[in-house]
Amino acid sequence: MTSTPCSPALAHSAPALSRGLVLLLATGAGLSVATLYYSQPMLGVLGADIQAGERAVGMVPMLTQLGYALGILLLAPLGDRYDRRRIILAKAGMLMLALLLSSIAPGVGALLVASLAIGLAATMAQDIVPAAATMAPENERGTVVGTVMTGLLLGILLSRVMSGLIAEQFGWRAVYGVAAISIALFAIGAWRGLPRFAATTSLGYGALLGSMLKLWSRYPALRRAALAQGLLSVAFSAFWSTLAVMLHARFGLGSAAAGAFGLAGAAGALAAPLAGRLADRRGPEGVTRLGAALTLGSFALLGLVEALPFEAQLGLIVVAAIGFDFAIQATLVAHQTIVYGIDPPARSRLNAVLFTGVFVGMASGAGLGSMALAQWGWSGVVALAIVASCGALLVRLLPASRP
C-alpha cells in the first residue's frame, strides 16, 4: 500500500468551500509563487547596491528556483502526513522571515541564503492547491483547482511588473519588505479561515518519500500526466528561454520587448478556470487532448514565420505565444484534476510527482532550446517545440491502461 490511513481521531471535517475561502487560497498561491520571480527585474540595481558581481547576483534567482525544486521533492509530500493547515502556516512564517532577511541583507552571502529559503518556503503553493482539491466537491474539483491556479498564474505574471515598479520608486529592499507584509496578511487570513485537514497516512518521512516511487509504478494515469505535461514544458521552456536572443538578433529588440511578451501569460490565467469548468462537465481526458493539440498547432504556426513578410512575423509570434500558453495551462489544470482523483489520501505526493515532471521538462527545455538555437537557429527551436508537443499529444491519445 502507498498510504496508511490515519487514526480517526486525527480526522477533521472541512466546512463547505465558500467563494471567500477559494479567493483566499488563490491569493495565497499567487503571493507565494510570486516570490520566486521578484528578484529577476532588479538584479542590476541589486548588484550595484551590495557591490556584487554579475555571477554572484545571478545566483539569486538560481538558488530560489533550486530551493523550490527541492521543496517540491522533499517538503510537498508532507501534506499527506500532517495537517495541511499547519504546514501552510509554517511555510508562510518561514517565507515571511526569509523575505525580511532579504530586505535587510548586508551582502550577497546573506541574500543567497535567504533566496534558497524563499524557494523552499514558496512551495506553500504546492500545499494550497491540493488543499483546495481536497475541500472541493468532486463535481466541482476542476473549477476550484482552475480558480486557484488562476491566482497562481497571475502571481507569476504580475510579480515581475510589480517588482520593477516598486524597486524603481523605493529601491529593491522595499520589494522584499512589501512581499513579507503580503505573506503575513495571507497567514492571518489562513489562520482564521482555513480548516484543519486529516492526515491520510502515518508513514515515516523516508517511507513517505519512497512511496512516491510506488505511486509512479502503480498508477499509469500519473505517469501519463507527468510525461505529457513534462513534454509540454519542454516546448514551453525552449521557446521562452531563447525568445530574447531571437528578438534581438532578428528584430533588434531589447529585453523590455521580451518581457512584454510575458503578458501572453494572461492567456494562461484565463485558461485555468475555463479548463477547470470544461473538465468538470466533459471530463479532463478530453481537455488534455485538446490542449496538447492546440499547443502543437500553435508551434506549427510558428514554423510559418519565415514565409511571412518581415513586418508580419512579430504578430504571428505573439499569436502563437498566446495560443500555446493558453493550451499548456489548460492542460495542466486538466492533468491536476486527473491526478487529484487517483488516490485522494496521497494527493500531496501525487502533486509532487506531477510537478517534478513539469520541473524536469522546464529544465530540459531550457538546455535543449539553447543547443538548438546555437546549432540550427530559431527554426531548430521551433522544431524542438513541435516534436515535444507532438509527443505530449501522442501520450494523451494512447489508450489508458489499468493500474
Side-chain angles (χ1 to χ4, degrees), residues 190-257:
W191 176 70
R192 297 185 62 181
L194 202 59
R196 294 186 177 185
F197 293 81
T200 56
T201 181
S202 58
L203 292 174
Y205 182 66
L208 192 69
L209 296 183
S211 68
M212 290 194 292
L213 294 175
K214 295 180 182 178
L215 290 169
W216 174 268
S217 175
R218 183 179 182 186
Y219 296 115
L222 175 61
R223 296 196 296 272
R224 293 178 75 201
L227 179 57
Q229 198 65 46
L231 286 168
L232 292 178
S233 297
V234 169
F236 181 88
S237 183
F239 175 89
W240 288 111
S241 63
T242 58
L243 177 66
V245 178
M246 184 276 292
L247 289 177
H248 178 74
R250 177 171 294 188
F251 301 99
L253 298 176
S255 57

Side-chain angles (χ1 to χ4, degrees), residues 185-375:
L185 292 174
F186 165 73
I188 294 172
W191 176 70
R192 297 185 62 181
L194 202 59
R196 294 186 177 185
F197 293 81
T200 56
T201 181
S202 58
L203 292 174
Y205 182 66
L208 192 69
L209 296 183
S211 68
M212 290 194 292
L213 294 175
K214 295 180 182 178
L215 290 169
W216 174 268
S217 175
R218 183 179 182 186
Y219 296 115
L222 175 61
R223 296 196 296 272
R224 293 178 75 201
L227 179 57
Q229 198 65 46
L231 286 168
L232 292 178
S233 297
V234 169
F236 181 88
S237 183
F239 175 89
W240 288 111
S241 63
T242 58
L243 177 66
V245 178
M246 184 276 292
L247 289 177
H248 178 74
R250 177 171 294 188
F251 301 99
L253 298 176
S255 57
F261 267 78
L263 293 176
L270 177 65
L274 293 177
R277 286 195 292 270
L278 189 59
D280 287 335
R281 294 174 185 173
R282 302 292 181 87
E285 291 282 348
V287 178
T288 63
R289 293 175 185 138
L290 181 62
L294 181 55
T295 303
L296 175 59
S298 298
F299 282 116
L301 192 63
L302 277 178
L304 301 177
V305 167
E306 299 286 353
L308 292 179
F310 183 78
E311 57 273 11
Q313 293 181 7
L314 198 60
L316 180 63
I317 295 171
V318 171
V319 171
I322 292 173
F324 73 70
D325 193 89
F326 183 99
I328 289 173
Q329 299 303 342
T331 309
L332 175 59
V333 171
H335 277 142
Q336 287 176 296
T337 305
I338 292 171
V339 166
Y340 293 152
I342 291 174
D343 186 356
R347 279 197 180 116
S348 290
R349 284 166 287 166
L350 292 167
N351 186 68
V353 172
L354 175 62
F355 274 88
T356 297
V358 170
F359 182 85
V360 170
M362 295 287 281
S364 301
L368 293 173
S370 298
M371 292 170 58
L373 184 66
Q375 188 70 29

Side-chain angles (χ1 to χ4, degrees), residues 170-190:
F170 305 104
W172 67 271
R173 295 182 186 275
V175 174
Y176 288 116
V178 171
I181 293 172
S182 70
I183 296 298
L185 292 174
F186 165 73
I188 294 172

Side-chain angles (χ1 to χ4, degrees), residues 6-61:
C6 65
S7 167
L10 294 176
H12 301 271
S13 59
L17 188 58
S18 65
R19 290 185 179 180
L21 187 51
V22 173
L23 179 61
L24 175 68
L25 294 172
T27 301
L31 290 174
S32 58
V33 80
T35 61
L36 300 174
Y37 303 99
Y38 285 140
S39 66
Q40 293 180 2
M42 56 186 190
L43 289 178
V45 178
L46 186 154
D49 186 58
I50 60 177
Q51 299 180 341
E54 291 183 0
R55 182 174 297 180
V57 170
M59 291 182 67
V60 171

